[in-house]
Amino acid sequence: VTPVNEDARPATGPTADPASSEVNEEQPNVARVYDYLLGGSHNFAADRAMAEQVLAVVPNTRRIAQANRAFLRRAVAFLATNGVTQFLDLGSGIPTVGNVHEIAQDAHPGARVLYVDIEPVAVTHSATMLADNPDADVIRADLRDPDTVLDAVRRGGLLDLSAPIALLAVSVLHFVPDADLPQRLLARYRDALAPGSYLTLSHLTPVGLSADEASEGTAIYERSSSALTLRPVEEIAAMFDGYTLVEPGLAPVEHWRPDEPVSGPSLPVYAGVGLLR
Ligand SMILES: C[S@@+](CC[C@H](N)C(=O)[O-])C[C@H]1O[C@@H](n2cnc3c(N)ncnc32)[C@H](O)[C@@H]1O
């Protein structure tokens, strides 16, 4: 395993970690492709090659990744200012600028954050970042196994499931195929949460993509660690079953409570925040 993007943060490359033997650097990995799209350094040649293929098919992919990450930051700030002090972040990714615990703990010192990701590079770098933070932790788990994730939450003692929690599933459920029943998985998490909890979700959709962009883009992802399932907006809306969407409802990601006026065609990611009553 060798560090990459030698020009940036080489000392924090994915070397010398206990999970490194499980890192397959030959197969593009969606966490590391996203890291590359965001300008990060925790990616390998295969990840960068795949990202460039995607960019050739969908030229605004970088903008999509940045807009998604900006949504995550705005949503966490919204949740924190609405009194949420606990965050369970499924598919949290490789640390980048403006991580969930930084935004949450800025608003509420002592806010607690548990990151969950399946990808060893994401988990290792999150663990390094959090080494001195008693109020944030990371576990490696597959969100498609809610029992394991929720058991880890209960046993870990960082989050209290009897009090409101913000469940984050941002830009991750399009990596869960229909066969794994994403809506049923979300129901399992929802049923473990206390009233006053929130679901924050963003998801890729074919809306805003040409038919060629959608089919060629998903074909590229077939060769990665996780295939991509673009879902219609109605299916994304159904993922909020049991929650009441806060304003502005489910919206193109850059239109969700933007900091500045937004113009131009909408991006193919829909996002929302729902409150569990
Ligand atoms: C596009 S990144 C999103 C990161 C972050 N949530 C964000 O929106 O900026 C998707 C992340 O989901 C993770 N992931 C994909 N499938 C997963 C699964 N079944 N369980 C846990 N994490 C998963 C990937 O490893 C990757 O880090």
Side-chain angles (χ1 to χ4, degrees):
V1 177
T2 46
V4 291
N5 278 12
E6 294 76 0
D7 51 332
R9 296 183 286 162
T12 57
T15 49
D17 62 73
S20 63
S21 58
E22 298 173 61
V23 174
N24 178 355
E25 58 180 285
E26 305 303 326
Q27 184 185 40
N29 174 281
V30 297
R32 302 186 317 240
V33 168
Y34 183 67
D35 175 69
Y36 175 70
L37 291 169
L38 289 174
S41 62
H42 306 307
N43 46 74
F44 298 104
D47 307 312
R48 298 192 289 276
M50 176 176 144
E52 293 298 340
Q53 285 171 4
V54 176
L55 285 163
V57 173
V58 185
N60 68 349
T61 300
R62 246 190 201 107
R63 219 180 114 226
I64 295 170
Q66 285 159 355
N68 177 72
R69 194 73 201 179
F71 159 72
L72 173 63
R73 290 193 290 265
R74 293 196 303 279
V76 171
F78 166 85
L79 292 160
T81 46
N82 279 277
V84 179
T85 58
Q86 305 195 92
F87 295 80
L88 177 57
D89 188 356
L90 304 176
S92 47
I94 294 169
T96 179
V97 177
N99 294 296
V100 169
H101 70 287
E102 293 160 346
I103 297 163
Q105 292 175 351
D106 261 1
H108 291 290
R112 283 160 288 147
V113 179
L114 183 61
Y115 292 112
V116 180
D117 206 283
I118 199 170
E119 151 64 15
V121 169
V123 175
T124 302
H125 288 291
S126 300
T128 304
M129 168 182 69
L130 301 173
D132 297 324
N133 193 322
D135 295 316
D137 204 353
V138 59
I139 57 169
R140 183 169 178 217
D142 187 336
L143 74 87
R144 292 169 299 176
D145 184 358
D147 285 341
T148 298
V149 173
L150 291 166
D151 276 358
V153 171
R154 289 189 187 95
R155 277 187 284 105
L158 182 65
L159 303 184
D160 173 7
L161 282 166
S162 69
I165 288 180
L167 180 69
L168 311 179
V170 178
S171 194
V172 63
L173 292 172
H174 42 239
F175 299 122
V176 175
D178 288 344
D180 287 325
L181 305 174
Q183 222 179 303
R184 194 185 292 177
L185 293 173
L186 282 171
R188 299 282 302 284
Y189 287 102
R190 182 199 61 213
D191 292 347
L193 297 178
S197 293
Y198 286 89
L199 171 65
T200 296
L201 190 150
S202 69
H203 197 297
L204 278 161
T205 166
V207 177
L209 292 175
S210 70
D212 283 351
E213 286 177 323
S215 67
E216 289 174 32
T218 47
I220 294 169
Y221 273 86
E222 290 287 329
R223 301 192 289 275
S224 78
S225 57
S226 310
L228 195 56
T229 305
L230 306 176
R231 294 196 168 91
V233 175
E234 312 79 68
E235 274 184 42
I236 303 170
M239 292 178 169
F240 285 94
D241 183 38
Y243 297 86
T244 305
L245 283 163
V246 305
E247 286 296 318
L250 187 62
V253 71
E254 74 279 22
H255 288 277
W256 195 90
R257 295 177 182 258
D259 293 330
E260 289 162 13
V262 179
S263 58
S266 294
L267 297 172
V269 178
Y270 271 64
V273 173
L275 170 64
L276 184 66
R277 293 188 195 276

